[in-house]
């Protein structure tokens, strides 16, 4: 009974839950602690499990690899091998050799004398083309064909730039982009996205430098490589602050300034146009209330007249914006920040993202502000997420991940309850469901059937659905996507991956 078992009923709407790993995990935990687990069982009366562990643990070498008893080492190892990753654990640098990918690359012969490019592309033919073009442009190049390997390579080698495909075999390349930008070690790396599908709005909001649609011409790729070479050269970054309030303008300047960032402030639209007509900036922070003309008309002018440079714009305003006003601004601005209690932290977060600044090179005060900005996730703040899951342990774990980051969680125990919850949300504007996390195996109505029924209703055609399954079977992803899911994730759940997928698919 201590061995992992399989469910006799393997259907997705079976009556009984459970994965059959509990006793296997218990035995392994006991063994690692140097103890034993015993069972006494009597039919009709019940079972008693007894665990005995030594009062003082003696280190022992049980194999060629010594047993590590430090909590920060052992627990992540156990959780990753056997359990549900429902809590974050200390990360440790990877020291094991990375397996060679299907494409021969430069990972075993990297020199600090050359810039390094990471290519993330599952089409081997196109990956080889990019690899050879990188060499032509004097880049060293490493290649990944999966999302998970891409993250690992980026963290280990910290390349000068990344070329990223969206359609990867394990999960969306957009989640790779998000995870790189959430990690202080890789956040500054410029990421250039190339994809057959247009997810450019999401990619730019996550921090991408550029977005190209396949098929891509050789001339376009060469131009991109040249820009990458220029972009990786260290230079003083310049931010234009357009704010009519002198005190606010000076405060923003002090907030954003660092050894490699200079801020220039102006108080009118006319001054702004004069500077942009003769100079270029890496980023612009714009208040909408200006004395000579509105921020809207200023953005309109910049978008239409080529004589002005048009840097990435962060709208930083104290106004309450309507949905129509936000939509209008989204045509020009990659980010909208409303002035408020936490807005300085968010502003710093957005600007450092656009400028690809290395976090540890910022001042201690700025680093503290960035940590504060990430305690609650701006994309998840106030959003309602429907968790469709019959296992209360998973419900508890996922809720504990999402709620501290500002999301509101709603629960459904099977597909039928999920459909009822969505029906009720149509009549309650304050309870609109923004995203669904859908388990596959549930009683009464399974996740695949429920997803098909959701997609059959025109009101929910664009509702993001991420499917979760305990069975990592070969065709699971195909079945989930064909049913209408936006993405798929196998259990045990990885906290970082789950948050990344939720951020990627959450409607903007």
């Amino acid at each position: 009974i201590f061995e992992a078992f399989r469910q006799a009923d393997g259907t997705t709407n079976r009556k009984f839950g459970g994965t059959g790993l509990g006793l296997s995990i218990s035995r392994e935990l006991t063994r690692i602690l140097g103890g034993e687990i015993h069972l006494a069982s009597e039919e009709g009366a019940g079972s008693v499990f007894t665990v005995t562990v030594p009062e003082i643990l003696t280190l022992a070498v049980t194999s060629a690899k010594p047993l590590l008893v430090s909590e920060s080492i052992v627990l992540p190892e156990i959780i990753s091998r056997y359990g549900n990753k429902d809590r974050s654990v200390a990360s440790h640098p990877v020291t094991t050799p990375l397996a060679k990918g299907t494409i021969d690359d430069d990972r075993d012969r990297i020199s600090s004398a050359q810039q390094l490019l990471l290519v993330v592309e599952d089409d081997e033919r196109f990956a080889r083309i990019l690899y050879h073009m990188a060499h032509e442009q004097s880049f060293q190049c490493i290649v990944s064909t999966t999302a998970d390997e891409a993250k690992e390579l980026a963290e280990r080698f910290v390349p000068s730039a990344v070329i990223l495909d969206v359609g990867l075999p394990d999960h969306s390349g957009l989640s790779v982009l998000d995870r790189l930008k959430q990690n202080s070690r890789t956040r500054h790396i410029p990421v250039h996205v190339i994809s057959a599908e247009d997810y450019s709005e999401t990619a730019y909001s996550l921090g991408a430098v550029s977005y190209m649609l396949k098929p891509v011409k050789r001339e376009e790729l060469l131009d991109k490589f040249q820009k990458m070479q220029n972009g990786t050269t260290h230079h003083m970054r310049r931010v234009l602050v357009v704010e009519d309030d002198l005190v606010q303008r000076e405060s923003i300047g002090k907030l954003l300034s660092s050894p490699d960032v200079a801020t220039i402030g102006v108080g009118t639209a006319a001054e702004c146009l004069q500077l942009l007509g003769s100079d270029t900036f890496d980023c612009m922070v714009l208040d909408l209330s200006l004395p000579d003309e509105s921020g809207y008309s200023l953005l309109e002018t910049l978008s239409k007249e080529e004589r002005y440079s048009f840097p990435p714009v962060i709208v930083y305003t104290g106004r309450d914006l309507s949905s129509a006003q936000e939509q209008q601004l989204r045509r020009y601005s990659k980010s909208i920040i409303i002035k408020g209690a936490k807005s300085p932290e968010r502003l710093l977060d957005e600007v450092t993202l656009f400028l690809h600044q290395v976090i540890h090179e910022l001042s201690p005060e700025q680093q503290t502000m960035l940590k504060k900005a990430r305690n609650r996730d701006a994309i998840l703040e106030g959003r309602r997420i429907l968790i469709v899951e019959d296992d209360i342990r998973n419900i508890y774990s996922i809720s504990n991940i999402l709620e501290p980051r500002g999301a509101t969680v709603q629960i459904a125990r099977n597909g039928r309850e999920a459909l009822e919850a969505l029906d009720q949300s149509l009549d309650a504007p304050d309870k609109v469901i923004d995203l669904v996390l859908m388990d596959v195996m549930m009683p009464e109505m399974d996740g695949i059937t429920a997803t098909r029924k959701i997609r059959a209703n025109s009101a929910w055609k664009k509702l993001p659905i991420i499917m979760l399954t305990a069975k990592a079977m070969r065709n699971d992803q195909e079945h989930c996507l064909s049913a209408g899911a936006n993405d798929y994730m196998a259990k045990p759940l990885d906290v970082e991956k789950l948050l990344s997928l939720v951020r990627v698919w959450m409607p903007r």
Side-chain angles (χ1 to χ4, degrees):
I1 68 162
F2 288 97
E3 294 178 3
F5 70 85
R6 290 179 176 273
Q7 285 273 7
D9 180 1
T11 61
T12 55
N13 60 351
R14 67 193 183 206
K15 184 178 179 181
F16 299 103
T19 56
L21 292 174
L23 291 179
S24 294
I25 295 170
S26 300
R27 182 176 62 174
E28 187 66 14
L29 284 167
T30 307
R31 186 193 65 79
I32 289 175
L33 292 171
E36 295 178 339
I37 184 168
H38 298 283
L39 164 66
S41 182
E42 183 182 341
E43 187 175 352
S47 303
V48 176
F49 292 89
T50 304
V51 174
T52 307
V53 292
E55 187 173 356
I56 299 174
L57 179 60
T58 304
L59 289 177
V61 178
T62 56
S63 64
K65 181 182 177 182
L67 177 66
L68 301 173
V69 293
S70 163
E71 179 188 358
S72 61
I73 302 291
V74 172
L75 288 183
E77 183 180 316
I78 298 166
I79 292 167
S80 65
R81 283 179 63 189
Y82 300 103
N84 190 334
K85 296 183 183 177
D86 59 359
R87 56 178 291 188
S88 59
V89 292
S91 60
H92 298 271
V94 179
T95 55
T96 53
L98 288 169
K100 200 70 166 174
T102 54
I103 299 169
D104 185 38
D105 61 14
D106 301 329
R107 69 184 70 186
D108 295 329
R109 47 181 181 270
I110 291 176
S111 163
S112 58
Q114 280 182 284
Q115 293 177 346
L116 178 64
L117 175 68
L118 169 59
V119 170
V120 188
E121 172 63 66
D122 66 328
D123 182 330
E124 289 190 25
R125 181 175 167 276
F126 189 47
R128 290 181 195 281
I129 290 172
L130 292 172
Y131 173 77
H132 290 302
M133 287 187 73
H135 280 196
E136 289 172 15
Q137 300 300 313
S138 301
F139 280 95
Q140 297 171 103
C141 185
I142 49 178
V143 180
S144 170
T145 57
T146 66
D148 286 339
E149 185 196 22
K151 176 182 174 291
E152 187 179 355
L153 288 172
E155 287 181 350
R156 169 176 278 205
F157 294 110
V158 193
S160 305
V162 176
I163 292 180
L164 175 66
D165 184 25
V166 172
L168 299 172
D170 45 352
H171 48 89
S172 171
L174 293 173
S175 70
V176 177
L177 172 60
D178 177 76
R179 291 163 76 187
L180 294 182
K181 296 303 177 183
Q182 294 294 321
N183 186 335
S184 59
R185 179 172 167 79
T186 56
R187 190 173 191 260
H188 65 282
I189 302 172
V191 179
H192 305 263
V193 181
I194 301 179
S195 176
E197 304 290 335
D198 188 1
Y199 297 111
S200 55
E201 183 179 345
T202 301
Y204 282 126
S205 71
L206 292 172
V209 176
S210 66
Y211 199 100
M212 301 176 73
L213 283 170
K214 295 178 180 178
V216 187
K217 294 180 181 177
R218 180 178 172 82
E219 294 74 22
E220 293 177 284
L221 288 172
L222 284 172
D223 180 61
K224 190 64 62 184
F225 274 106
Q226 287 166 2
K227 286 180 179 176
M228 276 190 275
Q229 283 181 322
N230 296 334
T232 52
T233 304
H234 187 80
H235 68 282
M236 176 65 77
R237 297 163 173 98
R238 305 173 75 234
V239 178
L240 177 60
V241 179
V242 187
E243 165 66 66
D244 64 324
D245 186 307
L246 178 60
V247 176
Q248 283 267 24
R249 191 161 70 238
E250 290 179 348
S251 297
I252 294 171
K254 289 177 182 176
L255 173 72
L256 303 179
S257 293
S258 70
D260 63 345
V261 173
T263 61
I264 297 174
V266 295
T268 65
E271 291 175 297
C272 172
L273 290 172
Q274 184 178 354
L275 276 175
L276 293 177
S278 59
D279 215 337
T280 58
F281 292 83
D282 297 282
C283 179
M284 182 167 85
V285 178
L286 172 67
D287 181 26
L288 294 177
S289 302
L290 300 172
D292 48 349
E293 63 176 297
S294 73
Y296 292 99
S297 59
L298 174 60
L299 290 170
E300 186 76 25
T301 302
L302 293 176
S303 67
K304 287 182 176 178
E305 299 193 23
E306 293 185 2
R307 59 195 172 115
Y308 299 113
S309 62
F310 196 174
V313 177
I314 297 174
V315 174
Y316 188 60
T317 180
R319 291 186 190 179
D320 287 328
L321 301 178
S322 67
S323 297
Q325 288 173 318
E326 282 203 21
Q327 203 62 33
Q328 183 182 355
L329 281 171
R330 293 286 182 198
R331 294 166 53 197
Y332 314 115
S333 172
K334 293 182 181 179
S335 181
I336 295 177
I337 297 176
I338 312 300
K339 287 177 184 172
K342 291 196 174 184
S343 59
E345 289 89 351
R346 280 199 59 208
L347 177 61
L348 180 64
D349 191 37
E350 292 286 339
V351 172
T352 54
L353 185 65
F354 282 148
L355 299 183
H356 311 292
Q357 288 177 271
V358 181
I359 299 296
H360 68 260
E361 293 179 0
L362 300 176
S363 70
E365 293 82 3
Q366 289 173 319
Q367 293 186 45
T368 300
M369 291 185 78
L370 287 177
K371 287 178 184 175
K372 201 180 292 184
R374 293 184 190 169
N375 282 345
R376 289 177 76 84
D377 200 312
I379 293 177
L380 303 186
E381 190 77 51
R383 296 304 189 94
R384 183 174 291 271
I385 298 174
L386 178 63
I387 300 175
V388 190
E389 167 71 71
D390 64 320
D391 189 324
I392 190 64
R393 296 166 300 179
N394 288 335
I395 292 171
Y396 178 77
S397 298
I398 297 171
S399 299
N400 277 349
I401 293 167
L402 298 173
E403 287 179 336
R405 290 169 172 83
T408 300
V409 168
Q410 187 171 337
I411 309 299
R413 300 301 293 267
N414 54 55
R416 180 184 54 76
E417 289 186 13
L419 294 172
E420 289 173 0
L422 288 169
D423 273 331
Q424 292 167 7
S425 72
L426 293 176
D427 301 322
D430 60 327
K431 293 185 177 179
V432 172
I433 292 169
D434 297 293
L435 181 141
V436 177
L437 292 175
M438 179 81 74
D439 189 29
V440 171
M441 293 190 173
M442 292 180 293
E444 295 194 49
M445 183 187 291
D446 63 77
I448 298 284
T449 304
T451 300
R452 289 198 176 107
K453 287 183 178 292
I454 290 171
R455 291 298 183 229
N457 188 325
S458 59
W460 303 323
K461 283 284 185 185
K462 294 184 178 180
L463 176 68
I465 301 174
I466 301 172
M467 302 205 75
L468 313 173
T469 176
K471 290 173 62 181
M473 302 298 287
R474 187 182 184 90
N475 297 322
D476 267 6
Q477 185 179 29
E478 186 181 325
H479 291 155
C480 292
L481 298 180
S482 64
N486 296 77
D487 222 317
Y488 152 95
M489 186 173 176
K491 296 175 184 177
L493 300 180
D494 181 297
V495 174
E496 186 187 352
K497 284 186 197 173
L498 178 63
L499 282 172
S500 179
L501 288 179
V502 169
R503 277 193 295 261
V504 164
W505 294 111
M506 183 65 73
R508 263 58 186 173

